[in-house]
Amino acid sequence: MMTSNDRLLQIFGKEHLWNPQTNKGIDPLVSLANRWVLFYFSASWCKPCIKFTKKLIKVYQNLKNRVKIEFVFCSIDTNEKVFESYAMKMPWPAIPFGSSLRNKIIDDYLGNQGIPNLSIFGKDGIMLEVDDVVEQVSKDVEAVRFPWPSQTISEVLMCSQYYCKYIEGKIEHIAMTSLDKKYLMLYFAAHWKSTCADFRTKLDKIYSQLKEFRSQHNDFELLLISADRYEDEYFQHLSGAPFGAVAYEDETCRTALIKRLKVRGVPVLAMLSPVIDGDRSIINYQLPPSFTCSSVPDFP
């Protein structure tokens, strides 16, 4: 019989889950079919995991009352007795300790991420992308925001009401909404990083050429997303720049953009579309060395 989340259930093959409360096997094709599924990665030796498990149990109880859902414990423990003792504290099934499926799920869905952690699958069997999932769940034990969707890029940008720009030697605050109809290039950089300093001169020229190239449409802007650790570094970086920047004090916005676009190092450029249906899409994402003045005619 076909289920809406067949693609997820296929990974279990003929493997069964283990019910710690009854010490019996559970057929995942029955217990997980047509449901939301959350893999919970945790270990008994991990103090943050123990603390989070208590909150997650409350989340589970709140969700079970209104959503077709099941959690599955995927242990990182290396001792079977310790695993069983820890699993018995949870009201949901677990992947058996000796199952080869446990390592496969860890490799495929946890990888090198830390614990505690969650992977959330919709009723269609597709894994959702959720930013800071453990933090979000910890702050929402009533599960009001389930399934804790990631903020859109536009939502993250609008956390900052204005951006900063040097105009005639003074810092001016300009409404972030003024950029809604424009292509927006984000420049992730830090003043202390030598490669950013080297690229900055080239970027000023590229920015000026792009502004001129799109002058008839007036539909392009660039913002610095600073990774600087100190305020004086931030203003040194912004000083003399022909473009603006997300304000230094808006650290939440800057950090969220870095996470949302999965920036692993600087400098990095990202080109975003204008706001369409409430969000911006990523048009281009590339390292600055591959972006030169000759790229301008290829806008966006």
Side-chain angles (χ1 to χ4, degrees), residues 87-264:
M88 287 178 184
K89 298 176 182 177
M90 305 175 197
W92 49 77
I95 297 173
F97 182 81
S99 171
S100 60
L101 180 62
R102 187 167 68 106
N103 289 333
K104 176 175 173 52
I105 289 178
I106 290 172
D107 290 342
D108 289 351
Y109 300 110
L110 180 65
N112 58 4
Q113 299 178 80
I115 54 173
N117 220 319
L118 292 168
S119 290
I120 303 176
F121 297 83
K123 292 172 72 174
D124 56 5
I126 297 175
M127 188 169 77
L128 279 65
E129 185 173 325
V130 182
D131 296 331
D132 302 316
V133 61
V134 170
E135 181 180 350
Q136 287 204 60
V137 173
S138 295
K139 294 178 179 178
D140 184 30
V141 294
E142 299 297 325
V144 174
R145 294 192 66 249
F146 173 82
W148 308 285
S150 297
Q151 285 184 301
T152 66
I153 294 174
S154 285
E155 287 173 338
V156 174
L157 281 166
M158 291 310 296
C159 289
S160 184
Q161 295 183 348
Y162 61 84
Y163 67 94
C164 300
K165 188 174 183 178
Y166 270 103
I167 300 177
E168 297 181 354
K170 294 182 179 180
I171 286 286
E172 299 288 346
H173 292 169
I174 305 172
M176 194 67 77
T177 52
S178 67
L179 303 176
D180 285 356
K181 296 181 180 180
K182 298 186 178 186
Y183 290 93
L184 183 60
M185 181 178 283
L186 301 182
Y187 174 47
F188 297 89
H191 182 69
W192 48 266
K193 189 77 177 288
S194 60
T195 49
C196 296
D198 293 341
F199 182 68
R200 168 62 193 282
T201 302
K202 183 168 67 173
L203 183 62
D204 287 1
K205 294 179 181 178
I206 293 171
Y207 173 77
S208 297
Q209 288 192 359
L210 279 169
K211 289 291 284 186
E212 182 178 356
F213 184 68
R214 301 300 296 178
S215 58
Q216 289 186 344
H217 306 277
N218 189 28
D219 64 352
F220 168 74
E221 194 50 78
L222 185 152
L223 287 183
L224 165 68
I225 312 301
S226 172
D228 288 306
R229 294 166 290 194
Y230 303 104
E231 192 171 11
D232 60 335
E233 291 180 337
Y234 167 85
F235 283 110
Q236 286 179 51
H237 202 160
L238 185 59
S239 178
F243 44 80
V246 171
Y248 178 79
E249 58 266 26
D250 286 331
E251 183 179 2
T252 300
C253 177
R254 292 187 289 117
T255 301
L257 284 169
I258 289 170
K259 289 182 178 180
R260 186 70 181 80
L261 275 79
K262 296 182 172 61
V263 176
R264 297 289 181 261

